[in-house]
Amino acid sequence: MQPEPHDELRSATFRDLDTTTLYALLKLRSDVFVVEQECVYADLDGRDDEPGTRHLWFTRHGEVRAYVRILDDGDVQRIGRVVTAKSARGAGLAGRLIEEALTVIGHRPAVLDAQSYLVEFYSRYGFEPTGPEFIEDGIPHTPMRREP
């Protein structure tokens, strides 16, 4: 009997990413945000390689299944680029990544711009809306914050 496959959590700074992994992370982001959600925007925003940026993701058998990026914005940590591969949705990976991101952030405030239909999801992790809904790349978003 084969052991049941499991998702493996990975974490790295930009400098710690090998080219194959970096390509897989960027491909997942592009596949979902640009192709699936039909948002033509500059995903490569110059922030992935900042010294304070952390990349967290789940893999299974070498496939990147979910990803999140944490940016150091000085007085707050910014969670963004939360994405799950279509084939991995429904497995709870996004929630596990948010929990891990909050562990990495520790006792510092965290902010994010949630796609508005996900406000309730982020509220489960202590985030609260901090402003009015706005449109970014054709998609409604809501700014949210979580205090330590």
Side-chain angles (χ1 to χ4, degrees):
M1 180 180 240
Q2 294 289 328
E4 191 167 319
H6 70 281
D7 296 297
E8 189 173 338
L9 176 65
R10 304 285 184 159
S11 174
T13 65
F14 185 81
R15 291 186 147 192
D16 294 331
L17 292 170
D18 61 67
T19 55
T20 301
T21 301
L22 176 61
Y23 179 86
L25 297 176
L26 296 177
K27 183 174 184 328
L28 174 61
R29 286 170 26 180
S30 178
D31 286 349
V32 174
F33 297 136
V34 178
V35 178
E36 183 182 326
Q37 293 183 352
E38 299 178 356
C39 291
V40 179
Y41 78 109
D43 179 47
L44 300 179
D45 58 2
R47 303 221 49 201
D48 288 309
D49 63 347
E50 291 178 357
T53 299
R54 297 294 300 180
H55 304 272
L56 307 175
W57 68 99
F58 278 109
T59 64
R60 182 185 291 180
H61 303 302
E63 174 196 0
V64 175
R65 293 170 40 87
Y67 167 87
V68 67
R69 176 175 81 173
I70 307 167
L71 302 173
D72 183 352
D73 276 357
D75 58 338
V76 299
Q77 301 290 295
R78 178 170 297 280
I79 294 174
R81 302 297 199 265
V82 182
V83 61
T84 303
K86 190 179 271 191
S87 63
R89 293 184 190 151
L93 296 179
R96 290 172 57 197
L97 279 175
I98 295 300
E99 289 171 354
E100 185 63 27
L102 293 174
T103 298
V104 169
I105 290 168
H107 296 293
R108 295 174 283 182
V111 297
L112 54 79
D113 291 330
Q115 290 187 8
S116 293
Y117 79 96
L118 291 169
V119 165
E120 187 176 313
F121 169 79
Y122 289 112
S123 294
R124 286 185 247 158
Y125 301 94
F127 286 90
E128 296 179 357
T130 58
E133 182 177 79
F134 63 94
I135 303 297
E136 183 175 9
D137 300 313
I139 297 174
H141 285 74
T142 302
M144 300 185 80
R145 182 179 179 103
R146 180 183 188 269
E147 294 300 332

